[in-house]
PDB file of all heavy atoms in Angstrom:
ATOM      1  N   THR A 118      57.205  37.130  40.617  1.00  0.00           N
ATOM      2  CA  THR A 118      56.860  38.381  39.939  1.00  0.00           C
ATOM      3  C   THR A 118      57.504  39.564  40.656  1.00  0.00           C
ATOM      4  O   THR A 118      57.219  39.822  41.832  1.00  0.00           O
ATOM      5  CB  THR A 118      55.320  38.549  39.885  1.00  0.00           C
ATOM      6  OG1 THR A 118      54.785  37.409  39.222  1.00  0.00           O
ATOM      7  CG2 THR A 118      54.933  39.817  39.147  1.00  0.00           C
ATOM      8  N   GLY A 119      58.370  40.260  39.924  1.00  0.00           N
ATOM      9  CA  GLY A 119      59.082  41.410  40.505  1.00  0.00           C
ATOM     10  C   GLY A 119      58.199  42.646  40.530  1.00  0.00           C
ATOM     11  O   GLY A 119      57.170  42.715  39.860  1.00  0.00           O
ATOM     12  N   ILE A 120      58.662  43.637  41.257  1.00  0.00           N
ATOM     13  CA  ILE A 120      57.871  44.858  41.447  1.00  0.00           C
ATOM     14  C   ILE A 120      57.641  45.605  40.119  1.00  0.00           C
ATOM     15  O   ILE A 120      56.581  46.196  39.903  1.00  0.00           O
ATOM     16  CB  ILE A 120      58.516  45.780  42.531  1.00  0.00           C
ATOM     17  CG1 ILE A 120      57.605  46.933  42.915  1.00  0.00           C
ATOM     18  CG2 ILE A 120      59.866  46.302  42.084  1.00  0.00           C
ATOM     19  CD1 ILE A 120      56.482  46.538  43.834  1.00  0.00           C
ATOM     20  N   GLU A 121      58.636  45.534  39.226  1.00  0.00           N
ATOM     21  CA  GLU A 121      58.465  46.245  37.940  1.00  0.00           C
ATOM     22  C   GLU A 121      57.372  45.615  37.098  1.00  0.00           C
ATOM     23  O   GLU A 121      56.548  46.303  36.496  1.00  0.00           O
ATOM     24  CB  GLU A 121      59.775  46.269  37.155  1.00  0.00           C
ATOM     25  CG  GLU A 121      60.633  47.434  37.563  1.00  0.00           C
ATOM     26  CD  GLU A 121      61.947  47.493  36.820  1.00  0.00           C
ATOM     27  OE1 GLU A 121      62.019  47.013  35.663  1.00  0.00           O
ATOM     28  OE2 GLU A 121      62.913  48.004  37.416  1.00  0.00           O
ATOM     29  N   ALA A 122      57.390  44.272  37.043  1.00  0.00           N
ATOM     30  CA  ALA A 122      56.354  43.549  36.290  1.00  0.00           C
ATOM     31  C   ALA A 122      54.985  43.824  36.908  1.00  0.00           C
ATOM     32  O   ALA A 122      53.993  44.055  36.208  1.00  0.00           O
ATOM     33  CB  ALA A 122      56.648  42.057  36.285  1.00  0.00           C
ATOM     34  N   TRP A 123      54.932  43.812  38.244  1.00  0.00           N
ATOM     35  CA  TRP A 123      53.678  44.106  38.963  1.00  0.00           C
ATOM     36  C   TRP A 123      53.168  45.501  38.572  1.00  0.00           C
ATOM     37  O   TRP A 123      52.010  45.680  38.199  1.00  0.00           O
ATOM     38  CB  TRP A 123      53.932  44.026  40.475  1.00  0.00           C
ATOM     39  CG  TRP A 123      52.866  44.670  41.306  1.00  0.00           C
ATOM     40  CD1 TRP A 123      52.829  45.981  41.702  1.00  0.00           C
ATOM     41  CD2 TRP A 123      51.671  44.060  41.823  1.00  0.00           C
ATOM     42  NE1 TRP A 123      51.683  46.217  42.432  1.00  0.00           N
ATOM     43  CE2 TRP A 123      50.955  45.062  42.523  1.00  0.00           C
ATOM     44  CE3 TRP A 123      51.147  42.769  41.768  1.00  0.00           C
ATOM     45  CZ2 TRP A 123      49.745  44.821  43.158  1.00  0.00           C
ATOM     46  CZ3 TRP A 123      49.925  42.531  42.413  1.00  0.00           C
ATOM     47  CH2 TRP A 123      49.236  43.546  43.092  1.00  0.00           C
ATOM     48  N   GLN A 124      54.070  46.499  38.646  1.00  0.00           N
ATOM     49  CA  GLN A 124      53.626  47.876  38.427  1.00  0.00           C
ATOM     50  C   GLN A 124      53.199  48.141  36.994  1.00  0.00           C
ATOM     51  O   GLN A 124      52.249  48.876  36.746  1.00  0.00           O
ATOM     52  CB  GLN A 124      54.728  48.858  38.848  1.00  0.00           C
ATOM     53  CG  GLN A 124      54.543  49.235  40.309  1.00  0.00           C
ATOM     54  CD  GLN A 124      55.778  49.830  40.952  1.00  0.00           C
ATOM     55  OE1 GLN A 124      56.860  49.831  40.356  1.00  0.00           O
ATOM     56  NE2 GLN A 124      55.641  50.308  42.169  1.00  0.00           N
ATOM     57  N   LYS A 125      53.893  47.518  36.060  1.00  0.00           N
ATOM     58  CA  LYS A 125      53.560  47.710  34.641  1.00  0.00           C
ATOM     59  C   LYS A 125      52.099  47.277  34.386  1.00  0.00           C
ATOM     60  O   LYS A 125      51.319  47.993  33.748  1.00  0.00           O
ATOM     61  CB  LYS A 125      54.525  46.888  33.783  1.00  0.00           C
ATOM     62  CG  LYS A 125      54.139  46.741  32.338  1.00  0.00           C
ATOM     63  CD  LYS A 125      54.814  47.785  31.479  1.00  0.00           C
ATOM     64  CE  LYS A 125      54.396  47.638  30.016  1.00  0.00           C
ATOM     65  NZ  LYS A 125      54.496  48.839  29.262  1.00  0.00           N
ATOM     66  N   VAL A 126      51.747  46.110  34.898  1.00  0.00           N
ATOM     67  CA  VAL A 126      50.387  45.597  34.678  1.00  0.00           C
ATOM     68  C   VAL A 126      49.355  46.455  35.412  1.00  0.00           C
ATOM     69  O   VAL A 126      48.281  46.756  34.871  1.00  0.00           O
ATOM     70  CB  VAL A 126      50.296  44.108  35.094  1.00  0.00           C
ATOM     71  CG1 VAL A 126      48.854  43.619  35.056  1.00  0.00           C
ATOM     72  CG2 VAL A 126      51.164  43.255  34.170  1.00  0.00           C
ATOM     73  N   GLN A 127      49.676  46.878  36.622  1.00  0.00           N
ATOM     74  CA  GLN A 127      48.745  47.757  37.351  1.00  0.00           C
ATOM     75  C   GLN A 127      48.512  49.058  36.576  1.00  0.00           C
ATOM     76  O   GLN A 127      47.385  49.552  36.489  1.00  0.00           O
ATOM     77  CB  GLN A 127      49.312  48.104  38.743  1.00  0.00           C
ATOM     78  CG  GLN A 127      49.384  46.922  39.699  1.00  0.00           C
ATOM     79  CD  GLN A 127      48.019  46.327  40.017  1.00  0.00           C
ATOM     80  OE1 GLN A 127      47.073  47.036  40.324  1.00  0.00           O
ATOM     81  NE2 GLN A 127      47.910  45.017  39.929  1.00  0.00           N
ATOM     82  N   THR A 128      49.576  49.588  35.990  1.00  0.00           N
ATOM     83  CA  THR A 128      49.457  50.869  35.284  1.00  0.00           C
ATOM     84  C   THR A 128      48.630  50.723  34.016  1.00  0.00           C
ATOM     85  O   THR A 128      47.728  51.522  33.752  1.00  0.00           O
ATOM     86  CB  THR A 128      50.867  51.404  34.936  1.00  0.00           C
ATOM     87  OG1 THR A 128      51.632  51.432  36.129  1.00  0.00           O
ATOM     88  CG2 THR A 128      50.807  52.800  34.363  1.00  0.00           C
ATOM     89  N   VAL A 129      48.920  49.684  33.222  1.00  0.00           N
ATOM     90  CA  VAL A 129      48.211  49.540  31.938  1.00  0.00           C
ATOM     91  C   VAL A 129      46.769  49.070  32.160  1.00  0.00           C
ATOM     92  O   VAL A 129      45.853  49.513  31.462  1.00  0.00           O
ATOM     93  CB  VAL A 129      48.952  48.562  30.993  1.00  0.00           C
ATOM     94  CG1 VAL A 129      48.172  48.397  29.687  1.00  0.00           C
ATOM     95  CG2 VAL A 129      50.363  49.057  30.699  1.00  0.00           C
ATOM     96  N   ASN A 130      46.543  48.190  33.118  1.00  0.00           N
ATOM     97  CA  ASN A 130      45.206  47.583  33.262  1.00  0.00           C
ATOM     98  C   ASN A 130      44.288  48.354  34.206  1.00  0.00           C
ATOM     99  O   ASN A 130      43.074  48.349  33.998  1.00  0.00           O
ATOM    100  CB  ASN A 130      45.324  46.147  33.775  1.00  0.00           C
ATOM    101  CG  ASN A 130      45.870  45.197  32.732  1.00  0.00           C
ATOM    102  OD1 ASN A 130      46.316  45.623  31.669  1.00  0.00           O
ATOM    103  ND2 ASN A 130      45.861  43.921  33.027  1.00  0.00           N
ATOM    104  N   LEU A 131      44.855  48.973  35.229  1.00  0.00           N
ATOM    105  CA  LEU A 131      43.998  49.594  36.258  1.00  0.00           C
ATOM    106  C   LEU A 131      44.088  51.126  36.252  1.00  0.00           C
ATOM    107  O   LEU A 131      43.057  51.807  36.169  1.00  0.00           O
ATOM    108  CB  LEU A 131      44.363  49.033  37.644  1.00  0.00           C
ATOM    109  CG  LEU A 131      43.585  49.581  38.831  1.00  0.00           C
ATOM    110  CD1 LEU A 131      42.077  49.390  38.662  1.00  0.00           C
ATOM    111  CD2 LEU A 131      44.046  48.920  40.133  1.00  0.00           C
ATOM    112  N   THR A 132      45.296  51.659  36.297  1.00  0.00           N
ATOM    113  CA  THR A 132      45.434  53.127  36.293  1.00  0.00           C
ATOM    114  C   THR A 132      44.808  53.698  35.022  1.00  0.00           C
ATOM    115  O   THR A 132      44.194  54.763  35.045  1.00  0.00           O
ATOM    116  CB  THR A 132      46.922  53.533  36.396  1.00  0.00           C
ATOM    117  OG1 THR A 132      47.492  52.872  37.517  1.00  0.00           O
ATOM    118  CG2 THR A 132      47.071  55.033  36.553  1.00  0.00           C
ATOM    119  N   SER A 133      44.943  52.985  33.915  1.00  0.00           N
ATOM    120  CA  SER A 133      44.367  53.457  32.641  1.00  0.00           C
ATOM    121  C   SER A 133      42.849  53.599  32.738  1.00  0.00           C
ATOM    122  O   SER A 133      42.273  54.541  32.190  1.00  0.00           O
ATOM    123  CB  SER A 133      44.695  52.464  31.521  1.00  0.00           C
ATOM    124  OG  SER A 133      43.977  51.262  31.709  1.00  0.00           O
ATOM    125  N   VAL A 134      42.202  52.704  33.443  1.00  0.00           N
ATOM    126  CA  VAL A 134      40.738  52.765  33.567  1.00  0.00           C
ATOM    127  C   VAL A 134      40.351  53.964  34.442  1.00  0.00           C
ATOM    128  O   VAL A 134      39.383  54.678  34.153  1.00  0.00           O
ATOM    129  CB  VAL A 134      40.177  51.438  34.115  1.00  0.00           C
ATOM    130  CG1 VAL A 134      38.672  51.527  34.345  1.00  0.00           C
ATOM    131  CG2 VAL A 134      40.488  50.297  33.146  1.00  0.00           C
ATOM    132  N   TYR A 135      41.130  54.198  35.476  1.00  0.00           N
ATOM    133  CA  TYR A 135      40.943  55.411  36.301  1.00  0.00           C
ATOM    134  C   TYR A 135      41.074  56.668  35.422  1.00  0.00           C
ATOM    135  O   TYR A 135      40.218  57.553  35.447  1.00  0.00           O
ATOM    136  CB  TYR A 135      41.977  55.410  37.440  1.00  0.00           C
ATOM    137  CG  TYR A 135      42.383  56.762  37.956  1.00  0.00           C
ATOM    138  CD1 TYR A 135      41.559  57.482  38.818  1.00  0.00           C
ATOM    139  CD2 TYR A 135      43.602  57.329  37.576  1.00  0.00           C
ATOM    140  CE1 TYR A 135      41.949  58.738  39.285  1.00  0.00           C
ATOM    141  CE2 TYR A 135      43.986  58.572  38.040  1.00  0.00           C
ATOM    142  CZ  TYR A 135      43.152  59.273  38.891  1.00  0.00           C
ATOM    143  OH  TYR A 135      43.532  60.518  39.333  1.00  0.00           O
ATOM    144  N   LEU A 136      42.129  56.710  34.604  1.00  0.00           N
ATOM    145  CA  LEU A 136      42.350  57.889  33.759  1.00  0.00           C
ATOM    146  C   LEU A 136      41.223  58.064  32.744  1.00  0.00           C
ATOM    147  O   LEU A 136      40.747  59.181  32.505  1.00  0.00           O
ATOM    148  CB  LEU A 136      43.700  57.783  33.026  1.00  0.00           C
ATOM    149  CG  LEU A 136      44.956  57.887  33.897  1.00  0.00           C
ATOM    150  CD1 LEU A 136      46.211  57.620  33.056  1.00  0.00           C
ATOM    151  CD2 LEU A 136      45.055  59.273  34.562  1.00  0.00           C
TER     152      LEU A 136
END
Side-chain angles (χ1 to χ4, degrees):
T118 303
I120 190 77
E121 274 180 28
W123 164 271
Q124 269 162 351
K125 167 95 181 155
V126 172
Q127 292 298 313
T128 307
V129 178
N130 288 9
L131 179 57
T132 307
S133 70
V134 176
Y135 152 78
L136 291 174

